[in-house]
Amino acid sequence: QKNLAILSPDQIELAKMLLETGQSNLFEHWPEPGVDDEKKRNFFDQVTRLNASYPGGLASYIQTARELLADSKAGKNPFDGFTPSVPSGENLTFGDGNFVKFEEAGIREVRNAAFVLVAGGLGERLGYNGIKLALPSVSTTGTCFLQHYIESILALQDASCRLVQGKYQTQIPFVIMTSDDTHARTLELLESNAYFGMKPTQVKLLKQEKVACLNDNDAKLAVDPYNKYRIQTKPHGHGDVHSLLYSSGLLNLWHDAGLKWVLFFQDTNGLLFKAIPAALGVSSTKQYQVNSLAVPRKAKEAIGGITKLTHADGRTMVINVEYNQLDPLLRATGYGDGDVNCETGYSPFPGNINQLILELGPYIKELTKTGGAIKEFVNPKYKDSSKTSFKSSTRLECMMQDYPKTLLPSARVGFTAMDAWLAYAPVKNNPEDAAKVPKGNPYHSATSGEMAIYRANSLILRKAGVQIDDPVLQVFNGQEVEVWPRITWEPKWAVTFSEMRRKVGGNCSISQKSTMIIKGRHVFLEDLSLDGALVINSVEDAEVKVGGSVQNKGWILEHVDHKDTSVPEEVRTRGFRINKVEQLEMNYSEPGKFCFNP
Ligand code: GDU
């Protein structure tokens, strides 16, 4: 009470709110006025931020926390009354007529889309010290994930504008959600690389705030153990992206500019953009308000299962059930074996890769109702079975894929399933944990993430008629992976399968030991036989036809031990480095038509 005298009127209001919501513990250790007054006022700066960044403010956070903590203590099943079943969605097969048709529809639409990347997580499981967006997606070119994402969006933008002729050049908006853990380094990565070719005005960073930690079932806020004038905070989860987009005002700006779609994606999936055009085509053709991209899921794999939930009262929804909840839900509802593979060798529930495509109009309407708030959950680690105290403080969390939970049952919610080799290869697990993954399940490591890109590129080229040698099996960092030829291209070379087919002709072949890097748009492969390393650099206005036989010693993969700290972290986490022994490098820096055929 005595300390109120040193506070401003706004701060006094917040202090009263905290006292009324049972948070007097925050002030118990505060000395008399005159001691640490500046620190006390700073404490309220933090309270002001916490209050402003949560829909409904801190009082609402505390109220929800009490309810969720009571449910958790009572062991209440969040899916009470719901029965799970396998939903139906659009299943696509890469390269067939249907796929090509959806890709074309997607390219048409993509100029009406905005992209949103959630990148506030530090990736504790990966144990990498930098931000994940700065990790190289492949080590042949060193292209980091952020560069790959930006180049992919720009390539889609160009392709869409070329297809819809007569329209002005659209600039697809790109939002990155950061957090205190990633913001400064993300901005630095963009600025030191000239935004990887994107207009800086096209990119917007939205920083999520952490939320207050909770000490007990009564939702008493936790004092920071290192600073008694701060409330301890922890990340709230990727679900924050919805309230941030809403409060930023961007959604209405986009709507006014005629945009129709918002595409959400995550920080380390080097394959994703191969699946985007077709998935967006599905959204627009089927008029899905919500479309989640899915891949076949191995039982117990750390990706949620897309599930149809039917309530006893008849309500239904198609929603992600997170990987840690799927097994208990299945066991509780008559699937005695829980989360297991079916006769296909996969879980019957499609795996959610958290690539969501939302239709902008209905999205704005929904957020106007909810203020962007997403259904939250709490996951306290209790000291014992009495569930009366926690091992360490907890907090509310939310996930972006829970957005459909507040929608009316009439909302058009669907999913689009594709092969995992085409759409999903995240980098999440450190080498030790990856090596312990049950045989046959994906590693989700830096090693597998890079190898998956080479495999996908090889399989796509195969489908386009190029003869590609089979892979060999090799073990890096204790993980057995298929090693295909190390083929990469800049996204602008081919954003769809049809475009790719136009770029390869005749009888092309590539041996397993080969590396090929294509930088440039108008590069055509015709009767090329490659056995070694080939690097093609071509400027936008050059048209290059590459053929004939190229043979050299090539680039060799050398083993690196992940424990060898003399090697940079981003190299040793993958377990190999590339020794560039010999290559043919062709540079076309002037406009014109060129033909290379040694
Ligand atoms: N993220 C944030 N803020 C946060 C937490 C995470 O922006 O507070 C971002 C991360 O940077 C990342 C994305 O959210 O880009 C996902 O984070 P994780 O990789 O830690 O997510 P999980 O592996 O726990 O799971 C999520 C979904 C799963 C499944 C999986 C697929 O919850 O259902 O789809 O991704 O990769």
Side-chain angles (χ1 to χ4, degrees):
Q1 283 295 334
K2 285 185 210 154
N3 276 302
L4 288 178
I6 64 161
L7 303 178
S8 70
D10 287 350
Q11 292 175 332
I12 292 174
E13 280 308 306
L14 288 172
K16 282 187 185 154
M17 177 271 294
L18 288 174
L19 292 173
E20 280 161 16
T21 51
Q23 305 298 337
S24 56
N25 58 305
L26 292 173
F27 310 106
E28 268 163 9
H29 52 275
W30 281 28
E32 294 294 299
V35 184
D36 287 346
D37 287 353
E38 198 50 37
K39 290 182 181 167
K40 292 171 191 164
R41 283 189 284 264
N42 288 345
F43 168 85
F44 277 98
D45 288 344
Q46 186 203 14
V47 175
T48 305
R49 277 199 307 279
L50 290 172
N51 195 47
S53 60
Y54 186 82
L58 263 177
S60 162
Y61 179 78
I62 293 163
Q63 170 70 22
T64 309
R66 283 196 182 125
E67 289 164 18
L68 290 174
L69 284 163
D71 287 350
S72 169
K73 184 169 183 236
K76 190 169 162 201
N77 172 3
F79 301 103
D80 212 13
F82 284 102
T83 313
S85 59
V86 181
S88 59
E90 193 63 39
N91 287 296
L92 300 187
T93 305
F94 175 76
D96 72 4
N98 204 30
F99 187 89
V100 167
K101 185 190 77 189
F102 281 127
E103 273 202 326
E104 185 170 328
I107 292 295
R108 222 166 253 288
E109 281 298 320
V110 78
R111 44 185 284 285
N112 300 322
F115 284 78
V116 179
L117 165 59
V118 290
L122 257 189
E124 277 89 357
R125 277 183 283 158
L126 183 62
Y128 174 60
N129 278 314
I131 53 167
K132 297 217 282 175
L133 287 177
L135 270 178
S137 56
V138 284
S139 29
T140 47
T141 60
T143 304
C144 70
F145 280 103
L146 185 55
Q147 176 173 3
H148 172 69
Y149 289 154
I150 288 183
E151 288 179 349
S152 298
I153 295 170
L154 290 175
L156 289 170
Q157 175 181 297
D158 286 349
S160 191
C161 291
R162 280 200 307 276
L163 195 71
V164 188
Q165 281 165 2
K167 296 281 175 187
Y168 57 94
Q169 176 74 25
T170 312
Q171 286 181 10
I172 294 178
F174 178 38
V175 168
I176 309 174
M177 181 171 83
T178 57
S179 67
D180 278 324
D181 295 331
T182 62
H183 185 83
R185 285 178 286 178
T186 306
L187 191 59
E188 149 76 18
L189 182 63
L190 285 164
E191 287 181 342
S192 57
N193 290 286
Y195 285 72
F196 297 110
M198 206 171 237
K199 301 245 176 343
T201 48
Q202 235 174 312
V203 187
K204 186 135 186 97
L205 267 53
L206 297 177
K207 185 163 76 72
Q208 65 176 144
E209 295 293 334
K210 293 184 179 171
V211 286
C213 291
L214 308 157
N215 257 346
D216 60 21
N217 283 329
D218 198 28
K220 289 229 169 45
L221 302 185
V223 176
D224 189 327
Y226 302 103
N227 179 350
K228 65 178 177 174
Y229 295 108
R230 269 187 74 80
I231 295 173
Q232 189 188 17
T233 59
K234 284 187 183 171
H236 189 219
H238 37 70
D240 278 347
V241 72
H242 302 294
S243 63
L244 275 176
L245 280 175
Y246 180 67
S247 60
S248 71
L250 280 171
L251 298 176
N252 284 325
L253 283 179
W254 293 346
H255 194 257
D256 294 346
L259 298 194
K260 275 172 69 181
W261 308 101
V262 190
L263 289 91
F264 295 84
F265 64 111
Q266 304 196 149
D267 50 16
T268 57
N269 182 5
L271 297 183
L272 180 71
F273 277 84
K274 299 183 189 304
I276 293 263
L280 180 57
V282 170
S283 277
S284 73
T285 311
K286 307 242 151 187
Q287 296 178 323
Y288 281 155
Q289 290 171 23
V290 179
N291 183 11
S292 307
L293 244 84
V295 298
R297 172 181 184 277
K298 285 280 183 187
K300 314 222 163 45
E301 189 180 339
I303 65 179
I306 297 184
T307 310
K308 180 170 180 182
L309 294 176
T310 307
H311 197 268
D313 64 15
R315 271 178 297 145
T316 61
M317 60 177 164
V318 175
I319 194 83
N320 172 72
V321 176
E322 200 56 342
Y323 44 91
N324 55 341
Q325 293 182 318
L326 190 59
D327 187 77
L329 170 66
L330 292 171
R331 286 179 195 277
T333 50
Y335 296 81
D337 297 332
D339 180 14
V340 286
N341 293 325
C342 62
E343 61 286 354
T344 59
Y346 289 92
S347 155
F349 296 92
N352 164 47
I353 63 170
N354 248 11
Q355 155 68 56
L356 309 177
I357 306 179
L358 304 186
E359 190 187 348
L360 181 58
Y363 181 47
I364 294 179
K365 268 201 199 129
E366 180 65 15
L367 294 196
T368 308
K369 271 195 264 159
T370 60
I374 294 299
K375 287 255 180 253
E376 292 161 301
F377 60 95
V378 68
N379 191 12
K381 306 279 178 285
Y382 297 109
K383 268 195 187 140
D384 56 44
S385 58
S386 70
K387 293 191 175 178
T388 45
S389 50
F390 308 157
K391 281 187 192 155
S392 59
S393 66
T394 187
R395 83 291 196 181
L396 300 190
E397 295 177 72
C398 61
M399 302 190 292
M400 69 171 168
Q401 66 269 37
D402 279 344
Y403 163 73
K405 282 193 170 163
T406 56
L407 294 178
L408 294 174
S410 56
R412 295 179 64 86
V413 181
F415 70 88
T416 305
M418 297 197 205
D419 284 327
W421 67 260
L422 180 71
Y424 186 59
V427 177
K428 302 205 191 207
N429 288 331
N430 62 52
E432 284 94 346
D433 290 343
K436 287 186 225 144
V437 164
K439 203 168 165 52
N441 277 23
Y443 299 115
H444 296 173
S445 67
T447 315
S448 63
E450 175 161 354
M451 288 302 164
I453 294 174
Y454 302 139
R455 179 179 53 180
N457 288 347
S458 297
L459 289 172
I460 291 171
L461 277 177
R462 249 191 195 178
K463 185 92 187 161
V466 178
Q467 195 190 315
I468 307 251
D469 277 0
D470 283 338
V472 297
L473 288 177
Q474 275 188 271
V475 177
F476 299 106
N477 281 348
Q479 305 153 54
E480 187 181 71
V481 285
E482 285 182 2
V483 181
W484 290 78
R486 274 69 66 206
I487 301 170
T488 59
W489 53 80
E490 279 186 329
K492 67 180 170 198
W493 186 58
V495 286
T496 59
F497 182 55
S498 312
E499 193 174 6
M500 146 90 45
R501 271 194 303 204
R502 287 195 293 275
K503 302 259 163 104
V504 297
N507 285 321
C508 292
S509 64
I510 298 177
S511 72
Q512 189 277 333
K513 76 162 214 208
S514 295
T515 300
M516 180 168 75
I517 298 173
I518 300 177
K519 291 190 176 172
R521 186 142 82 85
H522 304 289
V523 176
F524 297 86
L525 308 181
E526 203 161 310
D527 295 321
L528 170 73
S529 159
L530 174 62
D531 182 33
L534 171 65
V535 182
I536 307 162
N537 293 306
S538 155
V539 290
E540 186 68 21
D541 300 327
E543 191 179 307
V544 185
K545 200 176 264 184
V546 183
S549 170
V550 175
Q551 199 168 20
N552 54 49
K553 295 199 182 90
W555 293 2
I556 292 167
L557 293 182
E558 289 179 350
H559 282 266
V560 170
D561 183 350
H562 69 89
K563 293 196 207 82
D564 181 355
T565 49
S566 68
V567 178
E569 211 179 358
E570 56 275 15
V571 176
R572 63 189 151 90
T573 49
R574 18 198 114 213
F576 59 84
R577 72 154 74 82
I578 291 180
N579 181 0
K580 300 180 178 176
V581 181
E582 193 187 4
Q583 72 279 323
L584 174 67
E585 184 166 349
M586 300 188 300
N587 294 305
Y588 300 91
S589 51
E590 303 291 332
K593 286 196 170 191
F594 306 90
C595 191
F596 177 86
N597 198 328

